[in-house]
Structure formats: C-alpha cells, structure tokens
C-alpha cells in the first residue's frame, strides 16, 4: 500500500513553484519533493496543510493505492 498524490499536477496547473509551496505550508522544499515523488509518506499534518493551501479536500489530493482498486 502506498499513499499517492496529485501535488505536482495541481502545483503545475496553478503555476506554483515547489519552493514557494514548501515555504507556504512550512515544510522544506526537499520534503515536498520527496512526498511529491512518492519517496516519503506524508504525515497527516502535511496532508491537511497542503490540502488547505490548495483549498481542496484531502481525498482530492491524496489517496491510498492498495493495488486492487483502479482509478479512472
């Protein structure tokens, strides 16, 4: 099981640089990059902060990939 996200797609659609996003939510650019790529699992606090920043539901930014459910 892995937590996957749409952070990069949302960020690029909105013209937001990774370092600006990181500063706005109080995390390092390195941490945002690792989570964006799926190299690190985000904390609940990270998920809430980034979802609030994007003004989106957590479920619209993150979901759990369990290998059995396929998303369209």
């Amino acid at each position: 099981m892995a937590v996957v996200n749409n952070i990069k797609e949302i960020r690029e659609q909105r013209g937001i640089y990774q370092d600006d996003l990181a500063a706005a939510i109080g995390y390092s650019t390195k941490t945002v990059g690792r989570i964006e790529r799926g190299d690190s699992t985000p904390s609940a606090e990270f998920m809430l902060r980034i979802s609030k920043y994007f003004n989106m539901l957590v479920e619209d930014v993150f979901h759990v990939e369990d290998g059995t459910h396929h998303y369209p």
Side-chain angles (χ1 to χ4, degrees), residues 24-55:
I25 65 168
Y27 284 85
S28 70
T29 303
K30 185 184 275 188
T31 297
V32 172
R34 282 196 305 255
I35 291 170
E36 220 177 63
R37 289 188 306 275
D39 295 341
S40 292
T41 302
S43 66
E45 182 180 354
F46 181 94
M47 291 190 281
L48 291 168
R49 284 189 186 195
I50 208 156
S51 298
K52 184 175 181 180
Y53 177 81
F54 286 148
N55 195 28

Side-chain angles (χ1 to χ4, degrees), residues 2 19 46 56 60:
D19 54 348
F46 181 94
M56 297 174 74
D60 292 337

